[in-house]
Structures are given as structure tokens and as C-alpha cells.
Amino acid sequence: MLATRLVFVLAIGRLVSAACPSYSSYSQQQHEPFSTGGHSLSYMRPSPECRTFNSSGVEQAITQLKDIIADPDLFRLFENTFPNTLDTAIKWRGTANNNSDEELCFVITGDIDAMWIRDSSNQIAPYKSVLKNKTNDIASVFRGTLNMQARYLIQFPYCNAFQPPDEAGIRTGNNAGGYRVTPPYDGNVVFTCNFELDDWGGFLQLSHDYYNKTQDLDFFSKYQWIYAVQSILKAAGEMQQPTYGPDGEWLTPVYTFQSNTYSAAGTLGNNGFSSPVNYTGLVRSPFRPSDDSAIYDFGIAANMMFARYLESTALIMAKLPNAPKGLDDEMSGLANDIRTGIERWGIVKSPTGQKIYAYEVDGYGGRNLMDDANIPSLLSAPFLGYVDKNDPLYLRTRDFVLSKMNPWYCKGSVISGVGSPHIRPCAVWPMSLIMQAMTTDNYWEIFSAIKEVVASTNGLGLIHESVDSNDETRWTRQWFTWANGLFGQLVMELWEEKPEILTEKFQPFRYEIKTA
């Protein structure tokens, strides 16, 4: 009887799923009811039966903020974006074949049908604002995502994006790329294998977020979390290796990557070996958080993130009764090496003669002065918890990042902010304005950033990857759940820390909202 009922429920689920429109198409069209403000923003949530996960805490937050946010366009953007990952990107949830207690959650980026370690961490992290304890409905999504990430990091610690697990019964996709990578990987498990240090940082950050909110120490003792950390530490040691040994001999790098691509940023130079580096204590990251190849392999922001969350998760490891002795000290020691390397190599002189953080270095004196909108970025250092937002060195770096000295900063009539070589000049990423608002206490800077983001959705009511600085109709990626979630996180933090900003109006110039 129970088996018959289960088959019936699954059949109904398949029928509902088949009746739901593709969100990739749905999100490119406007839907009523429109917001009553000057931007007339579309309603972009799927119908309830088509949403991929429902959290009572998230729905309650949306309901509460409806009476707090004064601007109808701002509320509509929050209403669409905060639940966007849960509404659209929880592709599958279940348990492991070899352990029915081990929750798994496969989270797609949005318009790309694969799970990025970095993206999925950032997609789930905003829901820490409604995570109260381990019995909350959203807690299972945190645990399932961490367990899924741990499995991938144990199998292929150098890879960044992954196929659905066997348990999901989902046909794996084809990324259509021609790659030559060492160490080799299994294409049935891996979607792409660009090594990006922020993947490890993202996994540790989500671990920190879950524990900080739930104090669920038992979760970290079970399943594969300890083994995933050990896998990361082993690979990190390999990626600290310099190009040359004590006698000048070439030390063949463990990780190499070559791709058949039209973009120079889609592969590594020097026949896949990347450019030489000196020993600094930093960890190499041949690819940036944007998935583009680095100019110099020591990304400072990515190392900041990794060090900060090695430190906080080492405190978790120290409390686990089944953790190998000394593993927490190994994590703390690596974090200290990285911090020392950043202080020694990552602080350089700007063109004005002031000391700031470089974006990338090589340990030979090579430095890249810029910032990229993708997180971790130099702009995001306080958001990562690496420095205080009022730290003088950070403030000087921030001034550089938000100026014409940063080659990827652009001012326009629609939106002004940091872009990325991943797209093109003057394609500003709204993510950078969200981060700008999250790393300052200046009321009007926050107000201005929010106003530009609200005005830059082309009426669709979702956060795009990039927007032309002078034309909101030219944008990339209509379904980018990471950026949507980050905007929701900003609003939730403002609700807690600066609620008066939510009483402001963010309307176009000379537009007034008519009230009855």
C-alpha cells in the first residue's frame, strides 16, 4: 500500500513538473501584476506548485517586509530575488545511496544546469538570515548542499562545477568543451575543472554559516565533512608549491589546464602550466572567481577568503571527537601562512603612491592592480570577514576600486560600478553595487547603490549578471540566482541593521507614487 502511494505521489510530481514552464524562458518575459512604482517591475516568482523548495522562514520574511519596505519597486525586486534560488534552482534533493541519513542537495546556478561549488555556497548563504536551528526546513538545504559539495571535493578537489549525482537519476549534461587537465577527472561527475581557490573558501564559509546559526556539531562529525577538509588541505599544499626548486630545477605543477577556446581567458598560458610563481605561503588560483584565467596566480581576495574560513572552521574541527589529531592546527597554520603571505606580497603601492591590496601577484614583484565584480573581490574583504570595513588599508583599496584607476570600473547614466573582463568594458555587474552597499555605513552611498540596482533590471525585476552602464536593455544572464540571492541578503541585513533605509523611495527622477 505504501509503495503504491509513493508511486502515485511521484507520478503526480512528474505531471506538475511537466506542466511548469522553463524558468529560463519565463524569466525573459514580463508577468503581471506589475509593481506600482515608476519602474513597473514584473512579478517573477513561479507559481507555488512549480517552485523547487518552499521555506516557511523565507515566506514569512517576505510577508513581514511587505509592510516595512516603502518603495513598491524595491519590494518587488526583493520579493523576486530573495527566494529565487529556492524557487528555481534546487534541482534535486534526496539521500545518499550508501547512507539514507546523509542528505544531498543538487543546486544549479540558474541558466547553467550544473552545480558550481562557489555559486552554490553563495546561493544558499543568504538564507542564514532565517536559519534558527537544525530543525528549520531550510537547515536541510544547508546540510544537503554541504554533503554534496564534500563528496565532490573529495573526488576531484581541483574541479569547480559538477554533474548531478547518480542518486538523482538526472541525465548528465555536456559542457561541449575540449579540455586537457591534470589531474584527470571523470566527465560523468565533473562539468568543468577550472581550479578556483574560492571554491574551497565557499565550502568552508557555508560550513561556518551553518554551524554559527545552529551549533549543530554532530553534523560535522558524520558523513564526509572531515574527509573533504583533508582533501582540501592536501591540494592546498600542492598549490603552494613554487615553480622552481632550491637549485633552480623546474617543479612540475600538479594542476594543469588547456582548453580549445576562442578566449585567452578560457585556458592557461605556458602550455597549460600558467606563469611561474615564487614561494609566498599563498595558494595558487590559476582561475579567478569569474572562471577567467588569472594574470598572476596568487589571487589576493581568494586567499583572504580561504584564510578567514580556515580559521573559523578550524574551531569546529577542534571540537570534533573523531577528527584526526592536529588537523585543526594544520588548518590554522595554513591560514597563518596565507595571512603572512598577503602582508608580505599582497600589499603594494598604487599609482598615487599609497599602499593598497593588489588583485593578483606572483611573488616575483609582478602585480595586477584592478578589481573584478565577482566575489571574492577586494571590495568584498569586510563582507568576507577578513578586515574591518573601517580598516585604513581597506579604505584606500576601496577608493582605488571605485575609481577610474581600476580598469574595470565604469560610470554611466544608468549604473556605475565594477565590471569584469569576463564580459567587456562598461558592462557593470549589479553585484558590485550590492557589495558596495554591504561594505559601507554611509547612508547615501547605500541609497544610491540600491537606487541604481532597482533601475537596471529592464523591467524584469531580477538582478542580471551585467548591465550596460548607459543602456538597461543591454544585459547578460536573466537567470543568475547568486546575484539575486545577494540582493535579498542585502535587504535582510538592512532590515536588521539600518531599517530606516527601507523607508526611503527609490523612484525615477520626478516620479511620484500616487496613493489613494
Side-chain angles (χ1 to χ4, degrees):
M1 184 69 178
L2 180 60
T4 302
R5 185 178 302 169
L6 181 58
V7 169
F8 175 75
V9 169
L10 289 173
I12 292 295
R14 291 191 189 99
L15 287 173
V16 170
S17 178
C20 294
S22 163
Y23 195 76
S24 186
S25 299
Y26 183 88
S27 57
Q28 295 189 57
Q29 303 165 6
Q30 293 187 329
H31 307 277
E32 296 182 343
F34 301 118
S35 62
T36 57
H39 296 294
S40 190
L41 299 183
S42 169
Y43 182 76
M44 278 298 185
R45 297 193 68 183
S47 57
E49 69 274 10
C50 293
R51 297 170 189 171
T52 55
F53 185 85
N54 179 74
S55 166
S56 58
V58 169
E59 298 304 324
Q60 184 179 15
I62 294 171
T63 300
Q64 289 177 288
L65 277 162
K66 187 173 185 178
D67 295 327
I68 293 171
I69 297 175
D71 188 279
D73 293 330
L74 175 59
F75 176 72
R76 172 53 53 81
L77 192 55
F78 171 73
E79 179 185 25
N80 287 341
T81 59
F82 186 47
N84 191 240
T85 290
L86 301 183
D87 282 355
T88 68
I90 308 300
K91 187 77 170 182
W92 174 82
R93 293 175 64 241
T95 58
N97 281 337
N98 62 349
N99 187 342
S100 60
D101 290 330
E102 183 181 355
E103 298 161 290
L104 297 175
C105 183
F106 185 75
V107 186
I108 61 173
T109 67
D111 55 359
I112 304 175
D113 214 17
M115 181 170 174
W116 263 252
I117 300 290
R118 179 233 6 269
D119 285 56
S120 58
S121 295
N122 284 284
Q123 288 168 268
I124 302 305
Y127 303 120
K128 64 187 176 184
S129 59
V130 300
L131 177 62
K132 306 301 181 185
N133 56 60
K134 65 180 182 181
T135 62
N136 289 160
D137 49 22
I138 198 68
S140 67
V141 176
F142 276 78
R143 290 190 296 267
T145 301
L146 285 168
N147 284 334
M148 195 76 263
Q149 292 175 342
R151 176 189 290 190
Y152 293 141
L153 289 169
I154 291 167
Q155 292 179 290
F156 301 104
Y158 289 103
C159 296
N160 63 322
F162 295 87
Q163 306 276 16
D166 290 339
E167 291 93 336
I170 301 172
R171 185 166 56 90
T172 58
N174 180 6
N175 67 4
Y179 304 101
R180 291 189 296 278
V181 179
T182 56
Y185 62 83
D186 182 353
N188 293 315
V189 178
V190 173
F191 186 76
T192 56
C193 198
N194 304 42
F195 174 58
E196 300 156 352
L197 180 58
D198 54 293
D199 289 323
W200 299 348
F203 170 71
L204 297 178
Q205 179 180 6
L206 196 65
S207 301
H208 163 92
D209 289 343
Y210 177 74
Y211 179 72
N212 191 47
K213 286 289 187 174
T214 66
Q215 300 297 300
D216 182 11
L217 193 64
D218 188 50
F219 166 74
F220 295 94
S221 293
K222 297 178 179 179
Y223 319 123
Q224 302 184 76
W225 190 79
I226 293 173
Y227 302 116
V229 173
Q230 288 178 307
S231 179
I232 287 171
L233 291 176
K234 179 180 182 297
E238 293 168 347
M239 294 305 286
Q240 285 182 303
Q241 177 180 279
T243 300
Y244 304 106
D247 298 322
E249 70 279 15
W250 179 44
L251 303 177
T252 307
V254 172
Y255 174 81
T256 67
F257 182 102
Q258 280 189 296
S259 171
N260 298 324
T261 177
Y262 292 107
S263 169
T267 190
L268 298 184
N270 197 20
N271 296 308
F273 296 111
S274 196
S275 298
V277 295
N278 203 354
Y279 181 80
T280 61
L282 300 168
V283 179
R284 298 180 76 161
S285 185
F287 287 93
R288 297 171 177 165
S290 62
D291 294 340
D292 295 335
S293 59
I295 292 176
Y296 301 115
D297 278 9
F298 295 131
I300 298 303
N303 272 276
M304 286 177 171
M305 182 186 197
F306 189 41
R308 186 265 187 268
Y309 288 106
L310 275 170
E311 292 166 343
S312 63
T313 53
L315 300 177
I316 300 174
M317 191 69 75
K319 297 176 182 178
L320 301 183
N322 59 329
K325 186 177 181 180
L327 188 57
D328 59 316
D329 291 334
E330 186 179 349
M331 295 167 72
S332 298
L334 176 56
N336 184 66
D337 287 346
I338 293 170
R339 281 190 177 269
T340 301
I342 291 173
E343 293 299 308
R344 169 68 179 84
W345 298 98
I347 300 173
V348 301
K349 283 188 178 181
S350 75
T352 65
Q354 292 184 313
K355 287 188 175 181
I356 63 171
Y357 289 112
Y359 186 70
E360 295 165 346
V361 298
D362 62 2
Y364 288 110
R367 60 183 191 171
N368 183 9
L369 298 185
M370 58 166 277
D371 201 20
D372 188 298
N374 285 268
I375 303 165
S377 60
L378 296 177
L379 182 62
S380 71
F383 172 80
L384 302 174
Y386 187 83
V387 297
D388 184 85
K389 66 178 67 172
N390 295 312
D391 177 79
L393 178 59
Y394 169 72
L395 289 175
R396 291 194 299 270
T397 305
R398 194 175 196 276
D399 287 342
F400 167 85
V401 168
L402 300 176
S403 77
K404 292 182 179 179
M405 287 189 292
N406 174 13
W408 295 102
Y409 181 82
C410 188
K411 293 185 73 69
S413 59
V414 172
I415 188 170
S416 300
V418 182
S420 170
H422 193 65
I423 304 297
R424 60 170 174 81
C426 278
V428 174
W429 289 47
M431 183 183 288
S432 75
L433 279 87
I434 299 169
M435 188 50 57
Q436 186 177 345
M438 297 178 91
T439 53
T440 183
D441 290 321
N442 185 295
Y443 189 94
W444 294 113
E445 185 177 3
I446 297 171
F447 174 87
S448 177
I450 293 174
K451 186 171 183 178
E452 290 187 22
V453 172
V454 171
S456 66
T457 78
N458 194 29
L460 290 172
L462 292 171
I463 308 297
H464 300 303
E465 177 188 53
S466 73
V467 179
D468 187 284
S469 60
N470 293 301
D471 183 356
E472 68 271 23
T473 68
R474 297 183 64 199
W475 47 263
T476 59
R477 296 187 74 178
Q478 82 287 357
W479 182 19
F480 186 30
T481 60
W482 175 7
N484 286 313
L486 189 66
F487 185 78
Q489 184 175 345
L490 167 63
V491 173
M492 292 294 285
E493 290 184 5
L494 291 175
W495 182 24
E496 181 179 348
E497 300 170 7
K498 300 178 179 70
E500 64 278 9
I501 291 181
L502 301 182
T503 67
E504 295 280 358
K505 299 292 177 63
F506 299 89
Q507 291 301 300
F509 184 59
R510 290 185 177 176
Y511 182 89
E512 293 184 6
I513 300 170
K514 292 185 171 76
T515 56

